[in-house]
PDB file of all heavy atoms in Angstrom:
ATOM      1  N   ALA B  38      68.436  86.895 -92.307  1.00 97.00           N
ATOM      2  CA  ALA B  38      69.526  87.406 -91.475  1.00 97.00           C
ATOM      3  C   ALA B  38      70.199  88.573 -92.199  1.00 97.00           C
ATOM      4  O   ALA B  38      69.946  88.794 -93.386  1.00 97.00           O
ATOM      5  CB  ALA B  38      70.520  86.284 -91.204  1.00 97.00           C
ATOM      6  N   PRO B  39      71.052  89.327 -91.499  1.00 97.00           N
ATOM      7  CA  PRO B  39      71.679  90.489 -92.142  1.00 97.00           C
ATOM      8  C   PRO B  39      72.380  90.166 -93.464  1.00 97.00           C
ATOM      9  O   PRO B  39      72.326  90.954 -94.401  1.00 97.00           O
ATOM     10  CB  PRO B  39      72.667  90.979 -91.079  1.00 97.00           C
ATOM     11  CG  PRO B  39      71.996  90.627 -89.790  1.00 97.00           C
ATOM     12  CD  PRO B  39      71.336  89.287 -90.045  1.00 97.00           C
ATOM     13  N   ALA B  40      73.019  89.010 -93.555  1.00 95.00           N
ATOM     14  CA  ALA B  40      73.756  88.698 -94.791  1.00 95.00           C
ATOM     15  C   ALA B  40      72.881  88.054 -95.858  1.00 95.00           C
ATOM     16  O   ALA B  40      73.359  87.779 -96.958  1.00 95.00           O
ATOM     17  CB  ALA B  40      74.934  87.781 -94.472  1.00 95.00           C
ATOM     18  N   GLY B  41      71.605  87.807 -95.547  1.00 97.00           N
ATOM     19  CA  GLY B  41      70.715  87.237 -96.552  1.00 97.00           C
ATOM     20  C   GLY B  41      69.884  86.106 -95.991  1.00 97.00           C
ATOM     21  O   GLY B  41      69.882  85.851 -94.780  1.00 97.00           O
ATOM     22  N   ARG B  42      69.179  85.433 -96.872  1.00 98.00           N
ATOM     23  CA  ARG B  42      68.237  84.389 -96.451  1.00 98.00           C
ATOM     24  C   ARG B  42      68.956  83.056 -96.241  1.00 98.00           C
ATOM     25  O   ARG B  42      69.812  82.670 -97.048  1.00 98.00           O
ATOM     26  CB  ARG B  42      67.130  84.245 -97.496  1.00 98.00           C
ATOM     27  CG  ARG B  42      66.140  83.150 -97.179  1.00 98.00           C
ATOM     28  CD  ARG B  42      64.848  83.313 -97.954  1.00 98.00           C
ATOM     29  NE  ARG B  42      64.013  84.366 -97.357  1.00 98.00           N
ATOM     30  CZ  ARG B  42      62.709  84.530 -97.633  1.00 98.00           C
ATOM     31  NH1 ARG B  42      62.104  83.728 -98.491  1.00 98.00           N
ATOM     32  NH2 ARG B  42      62.024  85.486 -97.045  1.00 98.00           N
ATOM     33  N   ILE B  43      68.576  82.384 -95.170  1.00 98.00           N
ATOM     34  CA  ILE B  43      69.086  81.055 -94.835  1.00 98.00           C
ATOM     35  C   ILE B  43      67.886  80.120 -94.906  1.00 98.00           C
ATOM     36  O   ILE B  43      66.860  80.373 -94.272  1.00 98.00           O
ATOM     37  CB  ILE B  43      69.680  81.056 -93.408  1.00 98.00           C
ATOM     38  CG1 ILE B  43      70.866  82.016 -93.319  1.00 98.00           C
ATOM     39  CG2 ILE B  43      70.063  79.646 -92.976  1.00 98.00           C
ATOM     40  CD1 ILE B  43      71.161  82.480 -91.905  1.00 98.00           C
ATOM     41  N   GLU B  44      68.011  79.019 -95.641  1.00 98.00           N
ATOM     42  CA  GLU B  44      66.863  78.123 -95.810  1.00 98.00           C
ATOM     43  C   GLU B  44      67.220  76.709 -95.398  1.00 98.00           C
ATOM     44  O   GLU B  44      68.186  76.135 -95.900  1.00 98.00           O
ATOM     45  CB  GLU B  44      66.390  78.155 -97.265  1.00 98.00           C
ATOM     46  CG  GLU B  44      65.801  79.512 -97.639  1.00 98.00           C
ATOM     47  CD  GLU B  44      65.238  79.561 -99.056  1.00 98.00           C
ATOM     48  OE1 GLU B  44      64.046  79.244 -99.228  1.00 98.00           O
ATOM     49  OE2 GLU B  44      65.989  79.897 -99.979  1.00 98.00           O
ATOM     50  N   GLY B  45      66.423  76.173 -94.490  1.00 98.00           N
ATOM     51  CA  GLY B  45      66.600  74.792 -94.068  1.00 98.00           C
ATOM     52  C   GLY B  45      67.448  74.680 -92.816  1.00 98.00           C
ATOM     53  O   GLY B  45      68.303  75.519 -92.522  1.00 98.00           O
ATOM     54  N   ALA B  46      67.188  73.611 -92.050  1.00 98.00           N
ATOM     55  CA  ALA B  46      67.839  73.435 -90.752  1.00 98.00           C
ATOM     56  C   ALA B  46      69.353  73.240 -90.885  1.00 98.00           C
ATOM     57  O   ALA B  46      70.109  73.711 -90.034  1.00 98.00           O
ATOM     58  CB  ALA B  46      67.210  72.258 -90.007  1.00 98.00           C
ATOM     59  N   ASP B  47      69.804  72.569 -91.930  1.00 98.00           N
ATOM     60  CA  ASP B  47      71.249  72.363 -92.082  1.00 98.00           C
ATOM     61  C   ASP B  47      71.974  73.693 -92.269  1.00 98.00           C
ATOM     62  O   ASP B  47      73.018  73.937 -91.648  1.00 98.00           O
ATOM     63  CB  ASP B  47      71.536  71.436 -93.281  1.00 98.00           C
ATOM     64  CG  ASP B  47      71.141  69.995 -93.009  1.00 98.00           C
ATOM     65  OD1 ASP B  47      70.825  69.667 -91.837  1.00 98.00           O
ATOM     66  OD2 ASP B  47      71.118  69.199 -93.967  1.00 98.00           O
ATOM     67  N   ALA B  48      71.419  74.528 -93.117  1.00 98.00           N
ATOM     68  CA  ALA B  48      72.031  75.845 -93.345  1.00 98.00           C
ATOM     69  C   ALA B  48      71.948  76.696 -92.076  1.00 98.00           C
ATOM     70  O   ALA B  48      72.885  77.441 -91.758  1.00 98.00           O
ATOM     71  CB  ALA B  48      71.346  76.544 -94.518  1.00 98.00           C
ATOM     72  N   TYR B  49      70.835  76.563 -91.354  1.00 98.00           N
ATOM     73  CA  TYR B  49      70.687  77.343 -90.122  1.00 98.00           C
ATOM     74  C   TYR B  49      71.715  76.898 -89.087  1.00 98.00           C
ATOM     75  O   TYR B  49      72.320  77.718 -88.398  1.00 98.00           O
ATOM     76  CB  TYR B  49      69.266  77.212 -89.566  1.00 98.00           C
ATOM     77  CG  TYR B  49      68.980  78.204 -88.459  1.00 98.00           C
ATOM     78  CD1 TYR B  49      68.560  79.492 -88.742  1.00 98.00           C
ATOM     79  CD2 TYR B  49      69.172  77.850 -87.126  1.00 98.00           C
ATOM     80  CE1 TYR B  49      68.324  80.409 -87.735  1.00 98.00           C
ATOM     81  CE2 TYR B  49      68.938  78.767 -86.108  1.00 98.00           C
ATOM     82  CZ  TYR B  49      68.517  80.040 -86.417  1.00 98.00           C
ATOM     83  OH  TYR B  49      68.297  80.950 -85.410  1.00 98.00           O
TER      84      TYR B  49
END
Side-chain angles (χ1 to χ4, degrees):
Chain B
R42 178 162 283 195
I43 298 158
E44 293 184 89
D47 289 350
Y49 191 85

